[in-house]
Amino acid sequence: MELEVRHLRALCAIADTGSLHKAARQLGVSQPSLTTQLRRIENSLGAELFSRERTGCRPTPLGRSVLSRARPLLAEMAALVVEAKASAARAGGPRLRIGSTASRVLADWLRRLRQRLPATDISLHVDVSANALLRMVAAGQLDVAFVHEVEGCPLLVPDALTSRVLVEREPQFISMSRDHPAAAAPVVELADLAEDRWMVDPTVDGEWDGLRRVLRAAGLNPPVLHGDYHTAASLIAIGEAVAPCQPTSGPREDMAIRPLRGDPLAVRLLLFRRPGACEELHEAVYAELAAAYREAALRAAAYRQWLLRHKRPLPHAPAA
């Protein structure tokens, strides 16, 4: 006889109630039937799992061992059933699969979308590669992708995709330690960072090529570190490096964020989608993205001042 879930459930009921009679009532079966089932289980395993006493049933050492494995299996089975039912309930409803490169607006964008589309199953896939995300949209693995295109390094856009521009030219600011000499000025000269180590993530499409182009155009050849931006933050804070950053980056006590004179580094922010996607849903996705970006931009003091100084409008969020 092979053990089944119902056998494990019976063993746990006997252990929990301490009585074949009480366990039978809990399981909705007769006591003789449960007694027979227990005997078959024990015969299958080759030893007793419970000691029958006048005061009830007590697990034997083998019984305790079997119960220690049975309980998590039953819990996993219960979770599987709940999750499967939830997935089945969502299967017939609308879903939205979002892809994005790293962005300060992601959390608020998702929050807004969940509030606006409560019946929609929304998932998020983040990737450092904008080109990889666009391929996923073209393959039908994602519905939309919010990406940035480094100036001078055009993305490889599959023919089938359509795009909508969120920001035509977003300047990239510079993050540096609070006590960096250049941090004393509201706007930083690129030449003031010539002796600094620059850190850049080469896995981000266009990032290293775009920075190298700007540095060469300025006649600069500073030392460059390649690494992810999470590592960069700790190095920047102690003055070991400087790095480009999104202008919507939030304030930190150990870091200063400043615009560069002339804004030589910039990206274009785009929302791509598959052809045939629901127009109404796409409007909602874009509207909430624009609203989230506006909020992030106005919350970042340095970017807010830059926008006012350059009289640049923020993305317009269509009415709901």
Side-chain angles (χ1 to χ4, degrees):
M1 183 188 80
E2 292 186 358
L3 285 182
E4 301 174 9
V5 173
R6 63 189 178 92
H7 298 142
L8 301 182
R9 191 172 290 115
L11 295 178
C12 290
I14 296 169
D16 292 341
T17 62
S19 161
L20 282 167
H21 175 69
K22 292 178 180 177
R25 290 184 59 184
Q26 178 178 302
L27 295 168
V29 299
S30 67
Q31 183 175 334
S33 174
L34 182 58
T35 301
T36 301
Q37 188 178 72
L38 175 58
R39 188 178 301 115
R40 287 176 178 170
I41 294 171
E42 291 176 328
N43 289 338
S44 174
L45 296 178
E48 286 191 346
L49 300 178
F50 292 92
S51 299
R52 281 70 158 180
E53 303 171 357
R54 281 188 295 179
T55 56
C57 295
R58 293 170 58 85
T60 63
L62 176 61
R64 288 194 294 270
S65 176
V66 171
L67 287 165
S68 70
R69 302 290 296 275
R71 294 189 191 281
L73 288 174
L74 288 175
E76 285 293 321
M77 181 59 69
L80 184 151
V81 171
V82 170
E83 291 172 9
K85 287 182 177 179
S87 296
R90 292 194 301 265
R95 65 175 180 169
L96 175 62
R97 298 165 299 171
I98 295 173
S100 179
T101 48
S103 173
R104 301 288 178 177
V105 308
L106 269 184
D108 191 38
W109 184 28
L110 275 180
R111 179 186 63 81
R112 289 173 177 275
L113 281 173
R114 294 194 192 283
Q115 289 178 346
R116 182 163 177 171
L117 306 169
T120 300
D121 179 20
I122 302 173
S123 62
L124 173 66
H125 177 85
V126 179
D127 198 306
V128 295
S129 171
N131 286 316
L133 291 169
L134 298 187
R135 289 193 295 270
M136 291 181 71
V137 176
Q141 297 170 300
L142 295 172
D143 297 306
V144 298
F146 173 49
V147 300
H148 67 276
E149 180 181 64
V150 177
E151 195 168 67
C153 305
L155 294 172
L156 304 174
V157 182
D159 292 337
L161 303 190
T162 58
S163 67
R164 189 166 180 177
V165 177
L166 181 75
V167 177
E168 184 61 44
R169 192 174 193 272
E170 181 193 68
Q172 298 300 280
F173 287 4
I174 295 297
S175 55
M176 63 193 79
S177 65
R178 276 286 179 187
D179 56 2
H180 193 293
V187 179
V188 175
E189 302 287 344
L190 195 58
D192 293 339
L193 308 175
E195 302 303 319
D196 287 284
R197 296 182 186 86
W198 284 70
M199 193 156 188
V200 64
D201 188 344
T203 65
V204 180
D205 292 335
E207 205 94 329
W208 170 224
D209 290 337
L211 176 60
R212 181 167 49 187
R213 177 181 59 82
V214 168
L215 292 174
R216 284 179 176 175
L220 302 178
N221 187 29
V224 176
L225 300 174
H226 288 172
D228 65 275
Y229 288 124
H230 291 293
T231 303
S234 59
L235 295 177
I236 292 167
I238 62 173
E240 284 293 318
V242 299
C245 67
Q246 298 172 21
T248 49
S249 299
R252 285 180 47 156
E253 292 183 358
D254 56 357
M255 195 180 295
I257 296 172
R258 300 287 185 268
L260 282 169
R261 179 79 64 189
D263 307 309
L265 286 169
V267 301
R268 188 164 61 142
L269 303 182
L270 301 150
L271 182 66
F272 284 88
R273 65 166 173 164
R274 291 186 298 112
C278 172
E279 190 67 33
E280 183 178 348
L281 179 61
H282 187 258
E283 280 299 313
V285 169
Y286 180 85
E288 299 307 334
L289 176 59
Y293 187 88
R294 288 176 64 89
E295 186 170 315
L298 295 175
R299 190 168 55 241
Y303 192 26
R304 184 174 65 247
Q305 293 168 5
W306 184 94
L307 290 165
L308 290 172
R309 188 165 59 250
H310 290 81
K311 298 180 180 179
R312 293 286 183 86
L314 284 168
H316 172 65

